[in-house]
Amino acid sequence: MAGEHFVLAHPFLAGTKVIPDAPPAPEFATEFLQKVGESSRGSNRVEVPFAQVAPAQHQVWSLETTDELRVPIGRSGATKLQYLAIGKGTRQHALVAGKTGSGKSTLFHVIITNLALWCSPEQVEFYLVDFKKGVEFKSYATHRLPHAKVVAIESDREFGLSVLQRLDEELKRRGELFRKLGVQDVAGYKRATAASQTATEPLPRTLLLIDEFQEFFVEDDRIAQSANLLLDRIVRQGRAFGIHCILGSQTLGGAYTLARTTIGQMVIRIALQTNEADAYLIMDENNAAPRLLTRPGEGIYNDMAGASEGNSPFQAVWISDVERDAQLERVRAVADQGNGKFATPIVFEGNAPADVRDNSLLQQVITKGAQRSGVALIWLGAPNSIKGPTEAVFQNRSGNNLLIVGQREEAVIAMLSASLIALAAQFSSKTPAEDARPTSETRAAKFILFESTAPGTSERAFVERVAQAIPQGVTVAKPGDVPEIFNSLVDDLQARSSDENASAVPTFLFLHGLQNLKKLKQDDEFAFSSSGDDGPSPSSQLQKLITEGPAHGIHVIATLDTFNNVNRFLGRKLLSEFEMRVLFQMSANDSSSLCDDPKASTLGLHRALFYNEQEGHLETFRPYALPDGGWLETAEKALRDRAT
């Protein structure tokens, strides 16, 4: 070292100077090191492009599944593809296990997307249930995947059970079809129908995919027992009828899980990165190969019930969210170009409130009027099962009132708004003349709404906007109007009671926020009157309307915030006159007092219970979100068009 430069000591290089380059700028050095770090982290990642297994354009919907459902899912070695093959011999159902980050969800997406590309909806259909707290399957609902019958996003156990029940019904239906034709499997059915040359319904292979299926068994309750029974039946009998299960989980261990006898029937095992204990659980006791897997997407495919001689190492293909959406758009385009009509899948989105636009029955009533004679319906929300919307039915019988209890103000207003629109749609806007009795053609009705929210608030403005949308008109009353309106209602009730043959106009009394209508509190019945008026108190009039009104066509729909206020304003005797009740989340004791079940204590943000005491029926549902202005304007226009 000589000064600021190096001098080479070798005799042949004497006098030669070496001057090092100047160090890089700090910004460049930081950027360079970041790139090196990122490359280092990704060095263990192997991505096989989805294009290597996807069909060319002329191959879309070209695959037949009569004898077997077979689709490529990854690479096995340098030249071969790894196929998922279901439907032949004992290879009827599959188990997929892999810890967080192992690529299990990506593998599910590859299976679903590639099958949708290779097979038409007449060859394969999906029931997709996701128990994870995410939106893995949402894209299939967004793109209206024509193969999907059910798409459950952040599902809960009750809805998952209803999917199993639907498949069990399909199992029985296919059994009847096969018995009539004297066939034993899907291939025999297709041969028999082809030979008869008659128009028959297509019979696609049905694929049930459940991610984190062990959620069924986190509690030892009725749902777990029913799910265990139904899954076992589907696994044992599904083979003959073309119904197959692919169940995924991070672990197969734990106290509550699927019965080992059922797991034993699932011959196909796909193991991604797992710990040693799960490696033995998904394979057999002599096969711990999955514990040696080191990178995401790397897996072992085994179709010999986990025996080590059936191991087939493979690398699953990678499909990004963007590419998946592009491929689903491709499928949707093919479906739209064809002549076939594919039903919209049933979508359950557990992390969001229900959308009133999805209620086709309500839309039909708004445009065409009442669908059932002699009854009035309101729809409360979307069910937690595969069935129609949750509904409350009003008939002329004792106890036919509705009580809504909870502190979800926005959900309560949405429920009342949808109820008012639904009832208005079922009754004519033309009130018959006073000297004429209503007929089935007129079906007039009266609506009275006591609104106790503060004036000037957005909630109050929305309720008043809903009232304006109803052609029949809604009497929007304030707490100070209690004496006048209740006197009128009681007089009407007495007139109806004196003439049993009268066909009176149905009347619906909405009491929104009954806890704020102090004149209706039971204690007021015993208070001294300062005016010297000896007439009945409003609280006693309310009691009369609740107990005697429903039998004569006067129904009360009341909302209260807490069970304590239910006791203050109604008491146990009047509570029994509300045979229909809606419960939002509350304590277990309050829930048991209202519906003989502590279930409301476990409800989440977008859940409620509907209890029908008359029928002994308890149902979980998702209440509607507050309707937007566009929907309200459309409903108002339809109602006014019908009126004119």
Side-chain angles (χ1 to χ4, degrees), residues 49-69:
F50 181 75
Q52 293 193 9
V53 298
Q57 188 59 38
H58 70 279
Q59 294 176 306
V60 172
W61 288 13
S62 63
L63 196 64
E64 268 281 332
T65 62
T66 300
D67 296 315
E68 186 180 31
L69 190 155

Side-chain angles (χ1 to χ4, degrees), residues 258-392:
L258 191 61
R260 299 306 299 179
T261 53
T262 305
I263 291 178
Q265 296 289 323
M266 308 185 76
V267 170
I268 300 172
R269 312 288 173 85
I270 302 176
L272 302 172
Q273 284 178 285
T274 61
N275 58 38
E276 186 170 357
D278 282 324
Y280 287 116
L281 286 172
I282 191 165
M283 299 301 182
D284 70 12
E285 58 187 9
N286 299 314
N287 186 1
R291 69 185 175 88
L292 303 175
L293 301 174
T294 58
R295 61 175 181 264
E298 185 183 18
I300 294 176
Y301 184 94
N302 186 303
D303 59 5
M304 299 179 65
S308 57
E309 56 268 28
N311 287 352
S312 174
F314 76 102
Q315 178 69 39
V317 300
W318 165 256
I319 184 169
S320 66
D321 293 347
V322 174
E323 184 172 8
R324 183 179 73 238
D325 289 342
Q327 297 292 353
L328 292 177
E329 288 176 6
R330 184 181 171 195
V331 172
R332 188 68 249 174
V334 173
D336 292 340
Q337 290 171 3
N339 297 323
K341 292 183 178 180
F342 307 108
T344 302
I346 297 170
V347 178
F348 177 89
E349 196 165 357
N351 58 349
D355 188 345
V356 71
R357 293 178 183 272
D358 296 333
N359 188 339
S360 59
L361 295 177
L362 177 55
Q363 306 305 325
Q364 189 175 9
V365 166
I366 289 173
T367 55
K368 297 182 180 179
Q371 302 298 305
R372 301 188 205 172
S373 61
V375 299
L377 302 172
I378 62 172
W379 289 277
L380 305 169
N384 264 32
S385 59
I386 302 177
K387 59 179 280 296
T390 302
E391 64 183 26

Side-chain angles (χ1 to χ4, degrees), residues 44 90 102 146 160 359 377 619-620:
N44 194 39
T90 59
S102 64
N359 188 339
L377 302 172
E619 176 183 345
T620 306

Side-chain angles (χ1 to χ4, degrees), residues 325-497:
D325 289 342
Q327 297 292 353
L328 292 177
E329 288 176 6
R330 184 181 171 195
V331 172
R332 188 68 249 174
V334 173
D336 292 340
Q337 290 171 3
N339 297 323
K341 292 183 178 180
F342 307 108
T344 302
I346 297 170
V347 178
F348 177 89
E349 196 165 357
N351 58 349
D355 188 345
V356 71
R357 293 178 183 272
D358 296 333
N359 188 339
S360 59
L361 295 177
L362 177 55
Q363 306 305 325
Q364 189 175 9
V365 166
I366 289 173
T367 55
K368 297 182 180 179
Q371 302 298 305
R372 301 188 205 172
S373 61
V375 299
L377 302 172
I378 62 172
W379 289 277
L380 305 169
N384 264 32
S385 59
I386 302 177
K387 59 179 280 296
T390 302
E391 64 183 26
V393 181
F394 292 96
Q395 296 174 297
N396 289 1
R397 70 164 188 260
S398 178
N400 205 212
N401 300 304
L402 173 66
L403 178 65
I404 302 172
V405 185
Q407 296 179 320
R408 292 282 316 284
E409 185 62 22
E410 185 174 304
V412 170
I413 291 176
M415 201 174 292
L416 292 180
S417 302
S419 300
L420 272 169
I421 295 291
L423 289 170
Q426 295 168 71
F427 294 94
S428 169
S429 63
K430 298 177 182 179
T431 304
E434 293 183 1
D435 58 345
R437 291 182 177 177
T439 66
S440 59
E441 288 76 19
T442 58
R443 281 180 66 87
K446 291 194 299 186
F447 306 105
I448 301 169
L449 171 63
F450 274 92
E451 178 53 54
S452 63
T453 53
T457 60
S458 58
E459 292 85 357
R460 181 64 170 265
F462 186 84
V463 171
E464 290 175 348
R465 173 67 184 89
V466 172
Q468 292 171 4
I470 295 175
Q472 296 94 319
V474 178
T475 301
V476 181
K478 301 182 290 296
D481 299 326
V482 165
E484 178 184 354
I485 289 179
F486 272 73
N487 284 333
S488 174
L489 285 171
V490 170
D491 290 343
D492 184 22
L493 176 59
Q494 290 174 344
R496 298 182 188 210
S497 302

Side-chain angles (χ1 to χ4, degrees), residues 4-16:
E4 296 181 351
H5 56 267
F6 292 95
V7 177
L8 299 176
H10 197 281
F12 293 106
L13 300 175
T16 304

Side-chain angles (χ1 to χ4, degrees), residues 156-357:
D156 59 20
R157 300 169 70 238
E158 283 185 278
F159 187 84
L161 181 61
S162 77
V163 174
L164 297 183
Q165 291 167 340
R166 170 63 69 90
L167 277 173
D168 190 50
E169 292 171 4
E170 178 65 11
L171 199 69
K172 295 173 183 175
R173 189 186 72 85
R174 293 190 179 193
E176 291 294 328
L177 283 176
F178 285 14
R179 275 191 287 274
K180 288 179 181 178
L181 292 173
V183 298
Q184 295 183 345
D185 54 22
V186 173
Y189 173 84
K190 292 187 176 181
R191 286 193 297 268
T193 53
S196 65
Q197 296 183 348
T198 57
T200 56
E201 63 172 304
L203 200 70
R205 287 192 180 271
T206 298
L207 208 57
L208 168 66
L209 292 98
I210 306 179
D211 199 2
E212 302 303 334
F213 75 93
Q214 282 195 295
E215 283 294 312
F216 273 128
F217 312 107
V218 293
E219 297 179 34
D220 189 11
D221 58 4
R222 179 191 60 83
I223 293 177
Q225 294 166 4
S226 299
N228 214 332
L229 180 66
L230 289 170
L231 275 173
D232 187 69
R233 185 182 301 159
I234 292 169
V235 167
R236 291 179 184 276
Q237 300 180 15
R239 170 195 176 198
F241 306 112
I243 298 177
H244 314 283
C245 299
I246 299 180
L247 307 181
S249 180
Q250 292 183 22
T251 176
L252 296 179
Y256 301 117
T257 186
L258 191 61
R260 299 306 299 179
T261 53
T262 305
I263 291 178
Q265 296 289 323
M266 308 185 76
V267 170
I268 300 172
R269 312 288 173 85
I270 302 176
L272 302 172
Q273 284 178 285
T274 61
N275 58 38
E276 186 170 357
D278 282 324
Y280 287 116
L281 286 172
I282 191 165
M283 299 301 182
D284 70 12
E285 58 187 9
N286 299 314
N287 186 1
R291 69 185 175 88
L292 303 175
L293 301 174
T294 58
R295 61 175 181 264
E298 185 183 18
I300 294 176
Y301 184 94
N302 186 303
D303 59 5
M304 299 179 65
S308 57
E309 56 268 28
N311 287 352
S312 174
F314 76 102
Q315 178 69 39
V317 300
W318 165 256
I319 184 169
S320 66
D321 293 347
V322 174
E323 184 172 8
R324 183 179 73 238
D325 289 342
Q327 297 292 353
L328 292 177
E329 288 176 6
R330 184 181 171 195
V331 172
R332 188 68 249 174
V334 173
D336 292 340
Q337 290 171 3
N339 297 323
K341 292 183 178 180
F342 307 108
T344 302
I346 297 170
V347 178
F348 177 89
E349 196 165 357
N351 58 349
D355 188 345
V356 71
R357 293 178 183 272

